[in-house]
Amino acid sequence: MAGTLKRLLFGAAALGVVAIAAPCVPRDESRTFEAENAVLTGTNVDTAQAGYTGVDPFFQCSLTHPSIQLHLRSDTDSRISGTGYVTGFDQSTDKITFTVSSATTKLYDLSIRYAAIYGDKKTTVILNNGAASEVSFTAGTSFTTVPAGQLLLNAGNNTIDIVSNWGWYLIDSITLTPSSPRPEHQITDLPINPAADSPARQLYFYLRSSIYGRFILSGQQDLSWANWVTQTIGKTPALLSVDLMDYSPSRVERGTVGTSIEDAIAHHQRGGIVSVLWHWNAPTGLYDTAENPWWSGFYTRATDFDVAAALSSTSNANYTLLVRDIDAIAVQLKRLQDAGVPVLFRPLHEAEGGWFWWGAKGPEPAKKLWGLLYDRLTNYHKINNLLWVWNSIAPEWYPGDETVDILSADVYAQGNGPMSTQYNQLIELGKDKKMIAAAEVGAAPLPDLLQAYEAHWLWFAVWGDTFINNPDWNSLETLRKVYNSDYVLTLDEIQGWMDLD
Ligand SMILES: *[C@@H]1O[C@H](CO)[C@@H](O)[C@H](O)[C@H]1NC(C)=O
Ligand SMILES: *[C@@H]1O[C@H](CO)[C@@H](O)[C@H](O)[C@H]1NC(C)=O
């Protein structure tokens, strides 16, 4: 088919058709690679499912405007040469390997043309035998195209593997288009709380005007692990994240004594920035068994506390317990407010995961509880040193722009990658009006990749034991690279941020 089309086009040109202004928008720089022309491992070419010859819109348009054939380059001829698709992904090692070249080190948007005729599926995309990412295919009866994230190609040849994962799908082709530079962020001027105190405003101003899009703040969960970083790497994280867990009333009544407020104040006093999360032990209904002891009571599996039922009426005894717990936490946050410590406050984290009781009954109760927290702490307790950090990505979980200052995600993926998929999802969620943070990570992101992908995370905070000190997640060499980068700010480099104006 390709040959005939090309002959027709060249024929028209030979007949001297006068060139007209190009009415088709050429995607000059995008390149499509047919799966059947790639290297197949455990997979095979088939033609039974119709539609694999789907043509590029520019090519389709050019058929009626023969002069445009001049734009067709040899490496894009594959647009018209589809002779089948690849199938047979039934073993975990089955794959297609594309070799693609790039003139320079450059970021590309990847899309995949597929048919998931056997139901919803997933594939794994691997670049140059290294970074892997997962792409979901939606069930359907015909071929369709899905955006599949970004790839930073090296100058020269690169390999892109499409590997089985769930398998049982059909791949027609992949397309690479150079990524457009990220447009300028449109971050809201002020914190959402009109009564935000001066330290909170100062923190917001500093983050917005000096950090976001320019640098990333290094961060660490727990003071003991921040100290470990200082001792091991020779640099101290700019941001310390602490947990209000042990101030939860259902733990305190079993003997816990929280110390994280002291840690937060100490970090503030040495010129650092403080973030606070809360593993909120369920107010009641803890199973307290050998498998699910009381101290794991923030997990859905460890309690029968029903957040939807508790929030269903304000006269409910369990609603009263939620308020009791919020009031107990208010006492601690007040200590930080009194000490002049502005706080990046991240309650109800990972709600969309469902593994914590506040997310166990779906988005509606989680959003309602967020509203209750915001109202009780801000309007009743007058706690005004907080910037409110939301921590789920899915739009149906989002409580809304009015009660959220900063968006964030917790990302546990090895490889020290830029987490650009999650970053781009959060840009969508907040319409680029909210700053975006990597509130918990397993692996500290490499600054070169952050900059190449323009993944402008405001901070990263590595989780403590088994992550920061685990070479599978963070080698010492990588940590040194991260902590010594000009793009990554450490405690010594942010001194005086509260005095800026
Ligand atoms: C890139 O790969 C192509 C074949 O896929 C090969 O012809 C070419 O020599 C390679 N270029 C380099 C720089 O390795
Ligand atoms: C409160 O929650 C506990 C634990 O789930 C449950 O046993 C109790 O019935 C609830 N109380 C009310 C009044 O719903």
Side-chain angles (χ1 to χ4, degrees), residues 242-296:
V242 299
D243 196 337
L244 295 176
M245 179 168 74
D246 280 338
Y247 302 100
S248 306
S250 71
R251 297 172 89 91
V252 172
E253 65 199 26
R254 289 168 170 86
T256 63
V257 179
T259 56
S260 49
I261 296 300
E262 283 78 3
D263 293 350
I265 291 174
H267 188 66
H268 168 78
Q269 286 175 346
R270 62 183 184 178
I273 292 171
V274 167
S275 174
V276 170
L277 85 154
W278 182 17
H279 278 99
W280 184 349
N281 230 60
T284 185
L286 306 178
Y287 295 141
D288 199 7
T289 58
E291 315 90 89
N292 294 304
W294 60 266
W295 43 262
S296 62

Side-chain angles (χ1 to χ4, degrees), residues 467-480:
F467 291 98
I468 187 68
N469 58 337
N470 180 345
D472 290 344
W473 288 87
N474 298 287
S475 71
L476 290 183
E477 188 195 347
T478 298
L479 288 178
R480 281 190 201 104

